[in-house]
């Protein structure tokens, strides 16, 4: 069991380290808004529970629920969110609501965090399924418990990074450009790496 826990920690770090950047941008986007941390935490948990559920179902042979060829198309979620954020930033470029609006940030939606987390989890599902197939049910449960505990740690680390003064200043200044670019890039990467649309 101890070995399973250590393996789970290593597997989680290897497959989720990229989430820190996306989560930090969510924190920068919601800076100054009440409840941002809770919404990001809930969204991250919802998205990650979806990832674990899909991985367990596929590992149990329930591929009919989520055929592997469907997974790459989840890249459309961050792509759409990124394009929407870019459109919003472009529309606001001439607004003179200036400093107050920038300092207060924007409300981060739980569904947006959950959608991006799940869409970014295609590689997680691809890695978790073979692992789950090669361990017993008790180990699968141990993996899931460890993963869910580490989701909170991931969110705390992302918040820590986003609230360090030099990083926070960079994120505050460039968030309106970085946020859409990262989401669009993530969506395109998921689509291309998964071979969606014959790419």
């Amino acid at each position: 069991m101890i070995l399973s826990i250590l393996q789970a920690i290593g597997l989680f770090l290897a497959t989720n380290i990229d989430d820190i950047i996306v989560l930090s941008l969510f924190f920068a986007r919601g800076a100054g808004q009440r409840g941002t941390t809770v919404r990001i935490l809930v969204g991250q948990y919802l998205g990650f529970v979806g990832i674990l559920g899909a991985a367990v179902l596929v590992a149990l042979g329930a591929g009919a629920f989520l055929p592997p060829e469907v997974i790459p198309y989840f890249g459309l979620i961050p792509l759409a969110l990124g394009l929407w954020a870019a459109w919003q930033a472009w529309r606001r470029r001439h607004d003179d609501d200036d400093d107050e609006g920038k300092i207060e940030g924007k409300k981060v939606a739980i569904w947006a965090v959950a959608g991006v987390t799940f869409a970014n989890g295609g590689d997680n599902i691809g890695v978790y399924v073979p692992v789950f197939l090669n361990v017993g049910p008790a180990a699968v449960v141990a993996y899931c418990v460890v993963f869910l505990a580490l989701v909170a740690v991931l969110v705390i680390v992302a918040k820590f990074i986003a609230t360090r003064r030099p990083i926070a200043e960079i994120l505050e200044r460039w968030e309106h450009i970085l946020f859409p670019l990262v989401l669009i890039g993530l969506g395109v990467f998921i689509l291309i790496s998964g071979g969606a649309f014959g790419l």
Side-chain angles (χ1 to χ4, degrees), residues 108-134:
V108 175
I110 291 173
W111 67 267
V113 179
V116 169
T117 299
F118 186 78
N120 194 24
D123 59 334
N124 297 48
I125 295 169
V127 171
Y128 297 163
V129 168
V131 172
F132 289 172
L133 287 171
N134 289 296

Side-chain angles (χ1 to χ4, degrees), residues 29 83 91 128 149 198:
R29 190 168 190 77
L83 291 171
R91 281 183 49 200
Y128 297 163

Side-chain angles (χ1 to χ4, degrees), residues 2-85:
I2 302 256
L3 183 61
S4 292
I5 290 171
L6 292 174
Q7 288 173 338
I9 292 171
L11 190 60
F12 184 88
L13 292 175
T15 54
N16 291 284
I17 201 76
D18 56 333
D19 284 356
I20 290 177
I21 296 167
V22 177
L23 289 172
S24 296
L25 287 170
F26 272 121
F27 276 111
R29 190 168 190 77
Q33 289 286 326
R34 184 182 297 257
T36 294
T37 302
V38 172
R39 286 192 297 276
I40 290 173
L41 184 64
V42 171
Q44 183 72 8
Y45 265 109
L46 287 174
F48 201 79
V49 165
I51 290 168
L52 283 180
V56 170
L57 283 175
V58 173
L60 290 173
F65 289 105
L66 189 70
E69 59 271 11
V70 169
I71 292 172
Y73 292 97
F74 284 107
L76 292 171
I77 297 171
L79 179 61
L81 289 171
L83 291 171
W84 176 253

Side-chain angles (χ1 to χ4, degrees), residues 3-4 7-8 11 131-132 135 138-148:
L3 183 61
S4 292
Q7 288 173 338
L11 190 60
V131 172
F132 289 172
V135 297
V140 171
V141 171
Y143 272 81
C144 291
V145 169
V146 170
F147 288 167
L148 292 173

Side-chain angles (χ1 to χ4, degrees), residues 117-190:
T117 299
F118 186 78
N120 194 24
D123 59 334
N124 297 48
I125 295 169
V127 171
Y128 297 163
V129 168
V131 172
F132 289 172
L133 287 171
N134 289 296
V135 297
V140 171
V141 171
Y143 272 81
C144 291
V145 169
V146 170
F147 288 167
L148 292 173
L150 290 175
V151 166
V153 175
L154 190 71
V155 172
I156 290 167
V157 169
K159 183 175 182 180
F160 176 81
I161 290 170
T163 55
R164 296 309 92 197
R165 191 167 197 83
I167 298 171
E169 287 173 2
I170 291 169
L171 290 175
E172 182 181 330
R173 177 171 296 190
W174 298 103
E175 174 274 331
H176 67 287
I177 294 172
L178 290 174
F179 187 74
L181 280 180
V182 168
L183 291 185
I184 291 168
L186 179 63
V188 170
F189 174 77
I190 292 169

